[in-house]
Amino acid sequence: MVTATTLQADILRHLSFTVGKDPQNATLFDWRMALSHACRDRIMEPWFAATRRTWAEDRKRVYYLSMEFLIGRLLEDATINLGLHEEAEAAMRALGQDFRDVVGDEPDAALGNGGLGRLAACFMESMATLGCPSYGYGIRYEHGLFRQSFNAGRQIEAPETWLDHPHPWEFDRPEAQYVIPFKGHVETRNGAAVWVPGESVFAQAHDTPVIGWQARWANTLRLWSARPTDPFDLERFNHGDYTAAAQPETLARTLSRVLYPDDTTYQGKELRLKQEYFLTSAALQDILRRYLQSHADLRALPKHVAIQMNDTHPAIAGAELIRLLVDDHRMEFREALHIAQRCLGYTNHTLLPEALERWSTYTFGTVLPRHMQIVEQIDGWHLEEHRARPHYVGIVKHHEVRMGELAFITSHRVNGVSALHTDLVRKNLFPELNALHPDRIINQTNGVTPRRWLKMCNPALSGLITDTIGSGWEADLDRLKALEPHVTDPAFLRAFGEAKRTNKVRLAAWLQRTTGVVVDPDALFDVQVKRIHEYKRQLLNILETVARWKAIRENPDAGWVPRVKIFAGKSAPGYAVAKEIIHLINDVAAVVNNDPVTGDLLKVVYPANYNVSMAERLVPAADLSEQISTAGKEASGTGNMKFMINGAPTIGTLDGANVEILQEVGADNFFLFGLTAEEVVKRREDPEHARHAIEASQPLLDVLQMIAEGRFSPDEPERYHQLVHRVWNHDYFLVASDFDSYIQAQGEVDRAFSDRDRWLKMAALNTARSGYFSSDRTIRGYMNDIWDIDPAI
Ligand code: 26V
């Protein structure tokens, strides 16, 4: 039994003996380290026990390969899953510290760009909760996603430095170290291929335990850092060539230095390919070493090992596993390929053509000469197996290696991340491969962990839920259904509204501290937070904001519902159009927020540096969830699920998992608008679609004119000429065509919100019907349909 008193003693012990500080002089950081170590101690026993059981029962393990893990903070999450949250709060209070300040001192581990990386983090937590023996494999980037600030409304990027201070959650594993070769050439010796690398680095492991709900199981997140194989070329140094002498160290230091911050356009950079191979090769060497510790026959590998590729970033895994089996273990190529296929699964996360990875055969063949041969061999084999296949199907085409095709052909399952997306993967992305392998593509709709995204981030609502239906929903989110009978109970609705208001008051105070803008907690909090991308259409939202501003000014006494428009998100540093949209939002905010006519009826806020921790503040305080991508473009979305769980109805298009959200919650509790994916394709056939839509909509004409005239950029009236020109002439994402439908849906939102009981009922039904979107359900799907693993608990 852990009580606040024993925990307090542990904290003080760690403060003295681990941190080396007297309580008299301890800083916030010192207290955080002491508390983190006291919690970490309690993870060790379940962690060792899970590992021991996996070995003893010779259980199959999942290896989740991902270039990104967007973890966020770990301390509070650990206290929640250890069942120590109240004790930790009490202990810190007794020690004269504010628990919120202490957990808030932890920097986010921002080792990811957005949805794909955050999904990997939710999956790790769900696998630990379900007792699915697994390892996450990733890169221990020294610098995660850049820090965003605004200068006169423009995005500025600064390096992120999460490892500046000691990171209490990881264990260095100097004994787990592998050589990762690159470049060089391939020789044939005794009929066998021998890769003679031109350079190499070591991959060294750092392990972070991942504790599941109620500490019943724990897994490992193993992140690799690069180190030089030869620290220093002494001979070159002695000859006076100082730069060349440091070369081995330079390669190693750059390899795991920084996360690529562009998740929108694939660029074909050699360093990125090296990072991908670095992760994949280290992981596979580690997997085979572990397997061979207790098994002799590599042919049984698929019975014991499932390897999941998170998008194509680790798609070299198929070729690498074949290389290890053939070159190091003397297996025949076809047998090796068959084993690789049965081990591997591939998850696709995007249909956007500009984000699909294809390496020039030159870059690929230079960095990975042996893999180039193996890829051609795989391609040749596949052609031979399917002689009837169209000639244009294949991995290597037009001097490019297509990583999607490589991943597909080397896997036994390929999955999309929502029902609609999977459909489009079948029809548009891999139609020929799907025809050849009709059972390979399956759906696994994304989910999010309810421990972090409800229990932890929304104590007000989770308290009410537990008071109403008891506990147990944390690990069985479908139980939220039991809330449904209560949504007609005025007392419950009042309590639901109070919980939301508590969160909104807290957010309002924070917004004032960070942005200086004062907002009314009783206004409708309308939230769009995610990476800035044209297809996500933050532009549509800000155009509606301008239209609303104009309409309020023209008729201030028309009984408007006060709104706070909240935007947050980063643009890829080189994505000029997205940066322009950020600038416009900030410019509109500056004008609107200072307008005495509209006053509290409309505010626009854009707190800088959106990350996991900011999402944990925004999501519980949202009234309305903006999920307004051009239909057919958002693979799934996971933010949409977080808002739904926390009782925010969606205004959205029929895109990604919105389709399933609508299905679960019902049309009365969802503000649907816009063209469908099929209509989008149709609409683009009219080359004048934007012009036609604009000319048919006076509000849109007015808004575009105001922006073009410099109403929001008086210091530089032409600032948005290009942006407006693009809406008129190159509106690929159909902002103009969906504008009127969006305005109408926003009007519906106003009407619904002004009827408080109606709104609260909608909000509560969103929570009650959100059970499907737990990542526990998603992981069960992967375990059944892809990994063939039974839970250990
Ligand atoms: C792509 C690239 C391209 C090359 C360089 C670096 C880089 C890094 C990340 C990506 C991933 C883009 C794909 C992605 O994040 N997809 C999102 O995945 C979510 C989880 O499945 C899903 O909810 C979102 O709808 C989808 O956009």
Side-chain angles (χ1 to χ4, degrees), residues 68 115-116 262-263 272 313 349 417 446 535 634-638:
E68 308 193 358
L116 166 142
D262 189 344
D263 62 352
R272 170 77 184 182
H313 315 150
H349 295 270
V417 290
N446 285 165
Y535 84 79
E634 189 68 88
S636 161
T638 47

Side-chain angles (χ1 to χ4, degrees), residues 482-517:
L483 291 171
E484 275 200 38
H486 299 272
V487 305
T488 48
D489 169 6
F492 174 77
L493 284 188
R494 206 174 319 114
F496 196 94
E498 273 161 22
K500 181 64 80 182
R501 193 165 194 285
T502 302
N503 300 332
K504 290 172 71 176
V505 167
R506 180 169 170 257
L507 179 63
W510 179 82
L511 283 171
Q512 183 172 3
R513 281 203 304 278
T514 50
T515 69
V517 181

Side-chain angles (χ1 to χ4, degrees), residues 347-519:
T347 306
N348 173 279
H349 295 270
T350 183
L351 302 166
L352 299 181
E354 63 272 23
L356 299 179
E357 290 189 296
R358 325 162 250 114
W359 297 99
S360 78
T361 49
Y362 175 77
T363 303
F364 197 94
T366 305
V367 176
L368 303 169
R370 176 65 181 129
H371 298 77
M372 191 66 239
Q373 295 179 337
I374 292 172
V375 165
E376 273 160 357
Q377 225 176 337
I378 298 169
D379 220 4
W381 165 85
H382 191 251
L383 183 61
E384 216 174 281
E385 287 283 293
H386 303 278
R387 288 198 165 279
R389 77 178 200 184
H391 69 279
Y392 48 84
V393 180
I395 304 168
V396 184
K397 272 276 118 83
H398 308 306
H399 309 288
E400 284 183 329
V401 182
R402 303 194 286 188
M403 300 307 270
E405 278 75 4
L406 175 62
F408 189 113
I409 291 172
T410 54
S411 297
H412 71 293
R413 287 283 181 279
V414 175
N415 76 282
V417 290
S418 73
L420 173 66
H421 168 67
T422 299
D423 209 46
L424 297 172
V425 169
R426 288 201 187 100
K427 288 192 182 124
N428 300 343
L429 192 59
F430 298 123
E432 297 87 10
L433 285 172
N434 181 49
L436 295 177
H437 309 279
D439 300 327
R440 196 167 298 183
I441 302 178
I442 63 171
N443 179 242
Q444 299 294 346
T445 298
N446 285 165
V448 302
T449 167
R451 274 72 65 185
R452 180 179 291 262
W453 294 110
L454 178 54
K455 175 94 179 161
M456 183 184 99
C457 75
N458 199 343
L461 180 56
S462 26
L464 173 64
I465 293 171
T466 303
D467 290 346
T468 310
I469 62 170
S471 59
W473 53 268
E474 296 93 337
D476 181 6
L477 204 64
D478 285 324
R479 288 203 202 171
L480 294 182
K481 272 253 144 31
L483 291 171
E484 275 200 38
H486 299 272
V487 305
T488 48
D489 169 6
F492 174 77
L493 284 188
R494 206 174 319 114
F496 196 94
E498 273 161 22
K500 181 64 80 182
R501 193 165 194 285
T502 302
N503 300 332
K504 290 172 71 176
V505 167
R506 180 169 170 257
L507 179 63
W510 179 82
L511 283 171
Q512 183 172 3
R513 281 203 304 278
T514 50
T515 69
V517 181
V518 179
V519 303

